[in-house]
Amino acid sequence: MNHIYGKTIILGVTGGIAAYKAAALTSKLTQKGAKVHVIMTASAKEFITELTLQSLSKQRVYSDTFQERDPAEISHIDLADSADLVLIAPATANILAKMAVGIGDDMLSTTMLAVTAPVMVAPAMNVHMYQHPAVRTNMQTLASRGVHFIEPGEGLLACGYVGKGRMEEPETIVAVVNEFFAGRDMAAQGPLAGKRVMVTAGGTVERIDPVRYISNDSSGKMGFALARAARAMGAEVTLIAARTDVAPPQDPQIDLVRVESAADMYAAVSSRWSDCDLLIGAAAVADYRPRISAETKIKKSGDTLTLELVKTTDILDTLGKIKEKQFVIGFAAETGNAELYAKDKLVRKNLDLIVANDVGQEGAGFGTETNIVSIYSSEGLVLDLPLSSKDEVARRILQLAAERMAGAAV
Ligand code: PMT
């Protein structure tokens, strides 16, 4: 199905040999009914002409920040505001670096500073440039801000090398864009459409000194599955993730906030609390942290070392007690008596639901792809879920939350 029809896409074209593919890309997106506004860098114009892309998009092509043809508009702001999606293809190492550090010295990079729409980039460069630590760091920075990467393919590069760096083919990029809009269109009709959902994930890191810390085995899988499921049901999702073993969802629609300690997580969650409709605490948050985090590495000295630990702020406990419109779901990771302890946490933290996982059971809890959970409310057991994928567990939890939140709103 065509989900591109009627969408406004800014296509950024930067200066690499793959710029010639921007012609096919512009043509295919336009044929699918998108309004494509092309912004070219000066280097891109060395490879392909403005006239080509203007003819294919049937729209004016932008390349000069200061060439304002219409006195009623400020092009880079108006363009940025109009976009449903920004796609940069090909994206050179240069534009990635500018976006990572926030440089705005031409029409494209300046527009990128004003863009609030989701951003996709299709990098294209020489294989050694692609692997350069500076480029990798810039890509990681952008990915952590939610920029979606359409990974380059492997093959013969224009420079003669064989390797990764060749821009993905226009057909594939159009398919990725279509899938992105399909997800968004579906989400707009989902049961959590218009709701703001915050999910915590991963294990917090409590520093002993600059090279040592206390943490736990949370991989982030359960929290990430919840973020994906909430998004698929139409919610606006903020994912607050501490240390994780797996990569976070590569969905430009999920706002990813990386934190380290329980204190950081509390600050991140509480600063977004007033806007939140549903909070799900899947993170394994440290209950205690070292009283002192040494500024330099602690040297080996005596036969024993005593670390004094102090309590962290309990995020769900603090917020659960002051909740107004918010629906709050906690997790309880237990190694026995799961029901008893989970119900105690439900009441103590004033939660709406608690998801108990007996992490001693095979296939449940930390690090696994699956989970086995029992969900309780103040009335008792709501749902027992046998061994299921974390995606399925997440879906069922979100379904329950959506039903109960809708019930409360009636
Ligand atoms: O990440 P995975 O590898 O996929 O593993 C998933 C999981 C086992 C970590 C997850 O399913 C889970 O059970 N998370 C909660 C683990 C936990 O720390 O539970 P708890 O019983 O200590 O805490 C109860 C609740 O209070 C949790 O929702 C927790 O996020 C929250 N809490 C705890 C301490 C604290 N200082 N602040 C909190 O908000």
Side-chain angles (χ1 to χ4, degrees):
M1 207 173 141
N2 177 8
H3 292 272
I4 292 175
Y5 184 85
K7 303 293 192 309
T8 300
I9 299 174
I10 295 180
L11 176 62
V13 183
T14 64
I17 183 66
Y20 79 90
K21 292 186 183 175
L25 197 51
T26 305
S27 166
K28 286 177 191 304
L29 290 170
T30 307
Q31 280 172 35
K32 284 203 169 281
K35 190 185 246 187
V36 180
H37 295 298
V38 177
I39 305 180
M40 301 178 78
T41 62
S43 328
K45 292 204 277 185
E46 299 288 330
F47 293 93
I48 183 167
T49 69
E50 252 183 53
L51 186 60
T52 306
L53 300 179
Q54 181 178 295
S55 309
L56 291 167
S57 65
K58 313 222 171 16
Q59 300 287 334
R60 167 187 160 192
V61 169
Y62 297 80
S63 58
D64 183 349
T65 330
F66 301 104
Q67 199 182 56
E68 294 287 14
R69 288 177 226 174
D70 179 352
E73 72 170 26
I74 302 172
S75 302
H76 63 279
I77 304 292
D78 291 1
L79 272 180
D81 288 347
S82 71
D84 292 305
L85 175 73
V86 179
L87 170 65
I88 304 187
T92 56
N94 189 44
I95 188 69
L96 297 178
K98 285 188 196 177
M99 285 164 67
V101 294
I103 292 175
D105 65 353
D106 62 9
M107 181 66 187
L108 181 58
S109 53
T110 308
T111 304
M112 292 315 293
L113 289 173
V115 156
T116 53
V119 178
M120 281 186 190
V121 295
M125 63 196 80
N126 160 275
V127 62
H128 297 311
M129 290 170 77
Y130 188 67
Q131 284 160 358
H132 192 284
V135 176
R136 305 303 304 173
T137 304
N138 290 334
M139 292 202 293
Q140 275 159 17
T141 303
L142 294 172
S144 74
R145 284 187 210 143
V147 171
H148 180 82
F149 280 82
I150 303 172
E151 290 285 322
E154 297 212 13
L156 180 64
L157 304 176
C159 52
Y161 281 99
V162 173
K164 202 164 178 171
R166 202 168 65 175
M167 188 178 100
E168 217 14 296
E169 292 307 318
E171 296 74 21
T172 311
I173 296 178
V174 171
V176 172
V177 170
N178 193 50
E179 207 177 303
F180 161 76
F181 282 125
R184 222 180 61 160
D185 291 350
M186 209 188 325
Q189 296 150 13
L192 288 173
K195 297 286 179 211
R196 293 205 169 119
V197 175
M198 190 159 31
V199 178
T200 68
T204 62
V205 163
E206 311 302 326
R207 289 268 157 211
I208 298 168
D209 69 14
V211 295
R212 304 182 182 96
Y213 59 81
I214 299 171
S215 190
N216 58 66
D217 287 331
S218 172
S219 63
K221 289 176 188 169
M222 192 64 246
F224 291 170
L226 285 158
R228 281 193 298 270
R231 183 64 213 131
M233 291 187 195
E236 266 181 50
V237 181
T238 303
L239 174 59
I240 315 272
R243 194 203 59 75
T244 58
D245 295 335
V246 292
Q250 294 293 302
D251 182 340
Q253 305 274 55
I254 296 177
D255 181 20
L256 174 69
V257 181
R258 279 288 187 182
V259 294
E260 187 173 272
S261 63
D264 298 339
M265 186 171 274
Y266 175 62
V269 174
S270 57
S271 67
R272 293 165 176 82
W273 171 248
S274 57
D275 284 340
C276 169
D277 297 300
L278 167 61
L279 168 63
I280 311 180
V285 186
D287 291 323
Y288 293 91
R289 62 169 174 82
R291 178 184 288 282
I292 295 162
S293 165
E295 278 182 18
T296 52
K297 185 181 168 194
I298 299 172
K299 295 287 171 210
K300 183 158 65 177
S301 51
D303 287 342
T304 60
L305 173 74
T306 305
L307 273 181
E308 193 184 355
L309 303 180
V310 292
K311 256 193 184 157
T312 58
T313 302
D314 192 307
I315 304 164
L316 290 197
D317 190 275
T318 310
L319 298 175
K321 284 179 178 147
I322 57 162
K323 72 182 158 79
E324 291 169 353
K325 60 170 182 173
Q326 293 89 351
F327 195 90
V328 183
I329 305 180
F331 270 74
E334 307 296 346
T335 50
N337 286 328
E339 178 174 351
L340 184 74
Y341 292 130
K343 283 178 169 169
D344 173 62
K345 285 171 188 169
L346 174 89
V347 174
R348 219 167 5 97
K349 303 189 185 197
N350 194 27
L351 308 175
D352 295 285
L353 291 173
I354 191 141
V355 183
N357 33 195
D358 188 338
V359 297
Q361 280 185 278
E362 181 85 26
F366 295 96
T368 50
E369 297 298 329
T370 52
N371 212 349
I372 304 167
V373 304
S374 300
I375 305 175
Y376 300 94
S377 73
S378 54
E379 282 100 54
L381 181 68
V382 177
L383 185 66
D384 249 337
L385 270 180
L387 187 73
S388 317
S389 70
K390 283 185 173 163
D391 282 326
E392 175 60 10
V393 172
R395 202 180 61 76
R396 299 295 294 273
I397 293 170
L398 265 310
Q399 235 171 23
L400 267 179
E403 281 162 23
R404 288 178 174 240
M405 288 164 75
V410 173

